[in-house]
Amino acid sequence: MSDTLRLIARAPDGDARAFDLLVERHRGRLAAFVAARMHPALRGYVEPDDVVQEACLEAAGKLDAFVARSPSGFYHWLVRIAEYKLKEVDRRRRAKKRGRPASLQVEPASIQTSVAGRVGRAEHALRVARALETLPDAQAEAVRLRYLQ
């Protein structure tokens, strides 16, 4: 079994270091892929590294669904996620240009150093959003204004 396949096997079991190593192995190639596929109009809207970051965050959340068939399979899976993220960014850019709100909002890339840290922040944000939904509207708005904006 290759080293890549061993890391892929360990990562879904909560081994954040294994996932970080996998991502770091492919980050350079993935960034080059995203930069090459990015439409020039998108370059002023978002950086290629932000798209890579979002793709890695998405991959971390869906890692348990990934099935390793070959060592290169992980990279190809990341590429498919990055392609989807590029399409999402383009839809948001077009919606903003037309003056309509985008249906999908992506939080800015976190300054955490590990993918596991970013995933933890995303999960925390989801828990906060769910908790705010349980509050009366006036209280939820007060919390948003005081702590989130």
Side-chain angles (χ1 to χ4, degrees):
M1 178 184 279
S2 75
D3 184 44
T4 299
L5 289 175
R6 274 192 286 279
L7 289 172
I8 290 170
R10 288 184 8 221
D13 295 331
D15 188 342
R17 181 71 181 137
F19 184 77
D20 289 346
L21 287 170
L22 279 169
V23 168
E24 287 310 311
R25 281 186 181 179
H26 301 293
R27 183 178 295 277
R29 279 182 24 195
L30 189 61
F33 171 83
V34 168
R37 296 295 292 273
M38 187 175 264
H39 190 277
L42 285 179
R43 291 186 190 277
Y45 186 73
V46 68
E47 293 292 322
D49 285 342
D50 292 337
V51 176
V52 169
Q53 198 81 335
E54 293 298 329
C56 292
L57 183 60
E58 177 102 3
K62 295 182 176 182
L63 191 59
D64 57 342
F66 174 71
V67 177
R69 292 187 177 88
S70 70
S72 65
F74 184 77
Y75 171 72
H76 295 293
W77 182 61
L78 285 175
V79 164
R80 286 192 305 276
I81 294 171
E83 286 175 328
Y84 179 77
K85 290 297 178 182
L86 276 171
K87 289 176 185 174
E88 274 186 342
V89 168
D90 192 43
R91 280 193 297 271
R92 283 194 313 273
R93 181 191 62 83
R94 289 173 191 242
K96 185 176 180 181
K97 187 176 178 182
R98 289 189 301 265
R100 288 190 245 156
S103 61
L104 298 173
Q105 291 186 3
V106 176
E107 295 297 317
S110 146
I111 58 171
Q112 295 287 332
T113 56
S114 73
V115 173
R118 289 188 299 275
V119 170
R121 285 177 55 104
E123 289 173 353
H124 178 73
L126 185 59
R127 286 193 304 272
V128 168
R130 287 182 182 153
L132 283 173
E133 290 172 359
T134 65
L135 293 174
D137 290 340
Q139 287 180 337
E141 183 64 14
V143 170
R144 276 189 208 94
L145 289 173
R146 173 65 173 98
Y147 295 102
L148 302 177
Q149 293 183 356

